[in-house]
Amino acid sequence: MRAFEYLSPKTLEAASAAVRTAPEGARIIAGGQDLLGELKERIATPGRVVSLKAVPGLRGIREESGSLRIGALATVQEVAESPLVREKAPALAEAATSVGTPQIRALGTVGGNLCQRPRCWYYRLADFPCLKKGGGTCFAVEGDSRYHAILGGGPCHIVHPSDLAVALVALDASVEVVGAKGRRTIPIADLYALPAVDASRETTLAPDEIVAEVSVPAGARSAFRKFREKLSLDFAVVAAAVALGPKGPRVALGGVAPVPWRSREAEAALGAKPVTAESAAAAATAALAPAKPLKNNRYKVPLACAVLRRTILAAAGVADPGPPAPPATPAPTKKAGEDF
Amino acid sequence: MKRVRRSQVEIEGKLRERTEVVEEDPSPPWDDRARLRVAGRPHPRLDGRAKASGAAIYTQDVGLPGMLHARILRSPHACARVLSVDASAALALDGVRAVLTQENAAAIPWYGGTTRLLERTVRYAGDEVAVVAAEDEETAEDALHLIRVRYARRRPVLDPGTAPRGGKPSVYTRGNARKAVSGAPVVVAGSYRTPAALHQAFETHGSVARWEGEHLTVWDSTQHIFGVRKELAAALGLPLHRVRVISTFMGGGFGAKNECGKYTVFAALLARRTGRPVRCLLTRAEESLAAGCRHATVQTLRLGARRDGRLLGIEHRSLCDVGAYGTDGPMPVGGPARTLYRCAAVRTEEVPVRTNTGPHTAFRAPGYVEGTFALERAMDRVAEACGLDPLEVRLRNYSPGDPRGFRYTRKGLRECYRIGAARIGWRRRARLGRRGTSLRGLGLASQVWPAGGAPPSHAVVKVNPDATAEVLIGTQDIGTGTRTVLAQIAAEELSLRARDVTVLLGDTGAGPYSLLSAGSLTTASAGPAVRAAARDARQQLEELATGLARGKGGRPGPREVCREIGDAMVIGRGARGPNPEGLKACSFGAHFAEVEVDAETGEVRIVRYVAVHEVGRVVNPLTASSQVEGGVLMGIGFALLERRIEDPATGRGIAVDLLDYKLPTALDLPPIEVLFVPGADPRATTIGAKGLGEPPIIAAPAAIANAVAHAVGADLPELPLTPDRVLEAIARGRRAP
Ligand SMILES: Cc1cc2nc3c(=O)[nH]c(=O)nc-3n(C[C@H](O)[C@H](O)[C@H](O)COP(=O)(O)OP(=O)(O)OC[C@H]3O[C@@H](n4cnc5c(N)ncnc54)[C@H](O)[C@@H]3O)c2cc1C
């Protein structure tokens, strides 16, 4: 890891200024669960690291005029365990519970989780000068793309790693950020942008902008489901969050796109009518209709379809009768085992 | 008395002729009538507290005054020629003490002489190019980034299908298999693939080296202290008595630590150059790139059978991707096909091919895990083709002896089947089916593994004046519980409690030679040696008791003898006797898995798991059970999750941490029911025990794959069974009539 200067200012404004004025680049550190890995691999080589730990008032979870307000430094574990979140935004509590391991949940923060960098193996290895690191190639296209994007990809094909973001997009949350121009509040979906806009980053934040708080409308019926290959220490292969609020259904998918993916197709398919087994299946199919898998991740399409269908039913409290017809399956590809 | 004979030994599944020095062991074997108090009973690990509290010193924990830290620069290219290495900037960095490159390091032959310690040609992404020693790890790491290397890249060979041969194929035949299969009324043919898998021991490979004058001491995380001593001495041109290798506590090896590593030689060379102790430990990423793997296989298999399920012929051919170097030839992938079933016509062929990937090494039951998966999958298909239950097909092909023409000391596989089938409720199998999106399946697989141990192994037992004892033996405890088991064995002979015995192992300077801890050898090799030494000590004590017998007081007990003779202590000596001639000692097992497959997502959940083994006497049921649980865990990983992944374009490893290389976690494991067939195998060893190191992993992937195949109604030709493959199999199952 490259040596760096470590600062721990007492206000967000000072922290933002410390980032802005750093001569050789700076990064914010919260729980460090993600940043330390990047520093050790030398994916990030800032001359300055600015901690948020000394800034007061960033930790709590409270309810205020119909919204849950969650400080950027609240830990993932605090979100998972909060009775308030469990009752008023269950999808978020479920998403938090599914994160990493107990150790990671204990240290990882909400702000850090939303701003964490992708887990794409080409991005995480210094030997691959990929688009996201300022290089000219997305190695996933010709390389191993089994965990990469099936929606919204190109020119970079990462999937966004945050589970909390998926739940928050479905819950129609907003984020308060502090930067050079003061405070602004943006819908969570606007926090993220596709690589087509700028492949080097995932968020729309200016480098000196800091997430201060997340605000979540309370009370919508919601659910979050995550498919992973292991039950602990594994990012989502596919995740889904669904909220059935007063403004209609909101559907988000994780693990499938470079941003937490809001599916307006699925929302339209569900419409304003009560959810049924048929409408859930139709919505899931609609959500995946625009999918464009890469070489190795075709399987994610039926997987995402299944996970989304189940999440919709769970949010609506409708019993799962199983998939309607035979579930969608990937077109058979000839495998070595069929040679005989 | 020692004498010499020619004999056949089977180590790690490979049958070898060798000249053996035989030292007869007069101990009468502990058979089923032996009344044992300590051996054969559960005993908590004697070092459990030290390990759990952090008091145990592993190689990673060794810190010496003035110690430097070494880090290795590795090639990012899978195939290249190193044109130049410029280390001047690294050497100029504050805190850097030395840099080894091909220019200044001795040209020590490596990988069986196919390359040298640091070579101009690099053959896989991860091959060693230079080594830095610095005051701390961070400085050493910084220095690596300052070394300028110019490479001339070449196109790497990555596809085993088109890769060149990497040595001679290994061929076995009995009867005319091709004819037998082709003429059979039932023929099952298939191609099965298994991935390269990583050992991922929790303690990464590493050594600490210290010179005191002409004497070199090395702390090493190894499965073979004497082997490392021999190889290291040869590499450095030292006589054996000036090299001492210590491995007191060891955090797992699984076959990847059977030999001396380059890092050990680097540490020793840098320590000599700098006059300071040097520690060279691999990072997790290096562990994933350059510390060995289970080699990938592509197996083609044809079974011919009669309509009643009886096998007529087996043809098995495996392509083994041994990687860039892999000097130990292909692993015995055909072992199960050769020995598991009665079949007159068998041909197996293991073909090594060479790719520009990390070299393979032994890995817990090398070859057998992969070969059992293919064979047992195919046996289920024979059962299906004949309309028989899978267990019935196995019983119809049961071979009481080794079908290559040897008798076994004992074979308890039939009991394993019986006990396991009853426990899991095998008879429910036909009734399992679909509930909603949940598909249920039951599968089983069988296991054979040569596990009788072998000489040479020597031990010394010192009896103290307070009637406690110390065992000196040059074996190592690689985490299996050897220390505890050997203490139990000595305590049994000496009529002591296990905790009255201290076992001093893992130090070539302290104990006499014992074999490497691999191939399920240790208990069956070191155990009898310790018993013989303890028995020798006991006999000496008994003789002294006769001498000390006073008229009225009568004959003193062992405790009194010890006290009376005081520091004129009794020292017992023993050696592992020869294996019985003409008999083979193998461990057997049968595993049963019940799975639930999600038809919509391809997720596989193991809901029940029963592992039954016959290993002769179980010396310590507690450590044995944890051995089985660990093996099953590893087998589950191989079945469902694990695989080394290279970028298909560059050949670089891309799943090099424990996030991307997916090991099962506690949450992923079903309850594992561990059962043993009771009874000793006194013809195998004098303690009646056989080995258990590898058996528990062998059948696990096959049992799970068979259960999943049963659930989805289609074959599963490739491990691991990831959702994409399971979904694809479900689709095939649905299309099938
Ligand atoms: C092994 C492992 C497994 C994981 N599994 C999951 C998982 O399953 N699901 C999941 O969602 N996440 C997972 N994570 C991610 C983990 O939850 C995040 O790393 C963690 O939440 C980041 O929080 P942190 O406070 O440690 O962030 P840090 O590491 O301190 O920061 C992460 C990034 O965000 C920036 N940052 C931090 N705080 C702010 C802020 N307030 N405003 C602006 N930028 C900020 C930093 O500059 C940095 O780039 C996993 C991580 C690891 C290491």
Side-chain angles (χ1 to χ4, degrees), chain B residues 528-561:
Chain B
V530 168
R531 187 188 163 207
R535 187 167 175 271
D536 179 29
R538 178 169 60 76
Q539 285 174 340
Q540 292 181 45
L541 288 170
E542 279 165 8
E543 277 167 30
L544 286 168
T546 313
L548 289 169
R550 287 163 295 260
K552 281 214 301 303
R555 201 181 146 85
R559 240 163 225 292
E560 279 171 90
V561 175

Side-chain angles (χ1 to χ4, degrees), chain A residues 27-35 38 52 72 76 98-100 104 107-109 111-113 115-117 119 161-164 205 209-211 226 233-235, chain B residues 659:
Chain A
R27 289 289 287 275
I28 296 288
I29 188 164
Q33 295 302 287
D34 184 44
L35 186 67
E38 280 199 297
L52 301 181
V76 176
S98 81
V99 166
I104 285 160
L107 286 168
T109 65
N113 186 280
C115 298
Q116 64 177 301
R117 306 303 312 274
R119 302 307 313 193
S162 168
D163 289 319
L164 300 192
L205 297 180
E209 275 189 311
I210 301 171
V211 172
K226 171 170 167 181
L233 191 58
D234 211 7
F235 281 86
Chain B
L659 200 56

Side-chain angles (χ1 to χ4, degrees), chain B residues 397-518:
Chain B
N397 290 289
Y398 196 83
S399 172
D402 182 327
R404 291 170 301 180
F406 309 102
R407 283 183 305 131
Y408 285 124
T409 52
R410 176 187 177 194
K411 177 168 177 173
L413 181 56
R414 200 184 286 277
E415 289 90 320
C416 293
Y417 288 140
R418 190 176 48 72
I419 293 169
R423 184 68 164 230
I424 198 134
W426 183 255
R427 277 190 302 192
R428 292 177 296 128
R429 185 173 185 275
R431 296 197 305 275
L432 292 178
R434 185 181 188 127
R435 270 225 316 271
T437 52
S438 152
L439 313 174
R440 286 253 170 176
L442 254 179
L444 86 91
S446 337
Q447 165 260 314
V448 57
W449 179 252
S457 182
H458 305 274
V460 170
V461 170
K462 303 190 295 182
V463 186
N464 293 315
D466 65 352
T468 61
E470 280 149 50
V471 174
L472 303 183
I473 181 163
T475 184
Q476 43 280 309
D477 187 338
I478 59 171
T480 54
T482 299
R483 235 185 218 97
T484 307
V485 162
L486 296 183
Q488 287 177 275
I489 291 168
E492 186 68 54
E493 271 297 341
L494 293 166
S495 304
L496 297 174
R497 296 169 302 183
R499 64 184 157 98
D500 296 328
V501 179
T502 293
V503 178
L504 296 163
L505 48 71
D507 184 351
T508 60
Y513 182 84
S514 192
L515 284 175
L516 76 165
S517 292

Side-chain angles (χ1 to χ4, degrees), chain A residues 42 122 146 230-231 310, chain B residues 142 598 643 647 663 668:
Chain A
R42 293 175 194 238
Y122 295 112
R146 72 188 73 188
K230 325 195 301 186
L231 294 180
R310 291 176 186 186
Chain B
D142 285 345
D598 187 321
R643 54 185 155 182
D647 171 49
L663 296 174
D668 300 303

Side-chain angles (χ1 to χ4, degrees), chain A:
Chain A
M1 142 174 11
R2 181 190 163 191
F4 53 79
E5 174 193 19
Y6 180 81
L7 297 180
S8 191
K10 300 237 167 12
T11 65
L12 285 178
E13 288 73 16
S16 170
V19 172
R20 199 158 48 244
T21 57
E24 295 177 62
R27 289 289 287 275
I28 296 288
I29 188 164
Q33 295 302 287
D34 184 44
L35 186 67
L36 284 177
E38 280 199 297
L39 294 177
K40 286 186 176 173
E41 294 296 331
R42 293 175 194 238
I43 305 299
T45 51
R48 178 180 286 175
V49 169
V50 180
S51 169
L52 301 181
K53 287 267 171 61
V55 179
L58 290 181
R59 284 205 78 121
I61 302 175
R62 59 187 202 284
E63 189 174 7
E64 218 177 84
S65 46
S67 282
L68 302 182
R69 299 192 155 257
I70 303 171
L73 283 192
T75 65
V76 176
Q77 186 62 20
E78 283 161 3
V79 174
E81 284 175 352
S82 158
L84 210 51
V85 178
R86 285 171 172 233
E87 190 197 325
K88 310 245 160 119
L92 181 59
E94 287 163 15
T97 307
S98 81
V99 166
T101 64
Q103 291 91 330
I104 285 160
R105 294 196 289 276
L107 286 168
T109 65
V110 170
N113 186 280
L114 297 182
C115 298
Q116 64 177 301
R117 306 303 312 274
R119 302 307 313 193
C120 166
W121 37 42
Y122 295 112
Y123 170 66
R124 291 278 164 170
L125 292 169
D127 285 337
F128 292 96
C130 74
L131 277 177
K132 195 161 271 307
K133 297 202 286 276
T137 326
C138 174
F139 290 89
V141 175
E142 291 298 315
D144 193 316
S145 55
R146 72 188 73 188
Y147 298 125
H148 286 81
I150 52 174
L151 285 162
C156 154
H157 295 271
I158 60 144
V159 296
H160 198 272
S162 168
D163 289 319
L164 300 192
V166 177
L168 290 171
V169 166
L171 290 164
D172 199 11
S174 54
V175 183
E176 187 182 43
V177 302
V178 174
K181 295 189 221 90
R183 288 180 184 252
R184 62 187 181 113
T185 300
I186 53 173
I188 179 109
D190 293 349
L191 180 62
Y192 300 103
L194 287 172
V197 177
D198 178 355
S200 72
R201 47 209 206 101
E202 301 80 56
T203 72
T204 55
L205 297 180
D208 64 348
E209 275 189 311
I210 301 171
V211 172
E213 195 173 77
V214 178
S215 168
V216 190
R221 274 195 295 168
S222 67
F224 172 90
R225 292 286 184 275
K226 171 170 167 181
F227 183 91
R228 47 189 160 173
E229 291 176 314
K230 325 195 301 186
L231 294 180
S232 178
L233 191 58
D234 211 7
F235 281 86
V237 175
V238 163
V242 174
L244 304 169
K247 288 190 266 170
R250 282 178 68 98
V251 173
L253 287 167
V256 295
V259 296
W261 183 260
R262 181 166 172 202
S263 175
R264 292 184 193 273
E265 296 87 344
E267 291 170 8
L270 287 173
K273 295 187 289 284
V275 169
T276 62
E278 292 70 32
S279 71
T285 306
L288 275 304
K292 284 199 188 64
L294 295 167
K295 236 173 21 195
N296 311 119
N297 63 6
R298 185 165 285 279
Y299 73 99
K300 281 177 123 182
V301 178
L303 198 55
C305 203
V307 172
L308 178 54
R309 189 186 67 77
R310 291 176 186 186
T311 313
I312 295 169
L313 294 176
V318 174
D320 183 359
T329 40
T333 47
K334 192 163 143 52
K335 283 262 169 80
E338 295 181 331
D339 288 350
F340 284 78

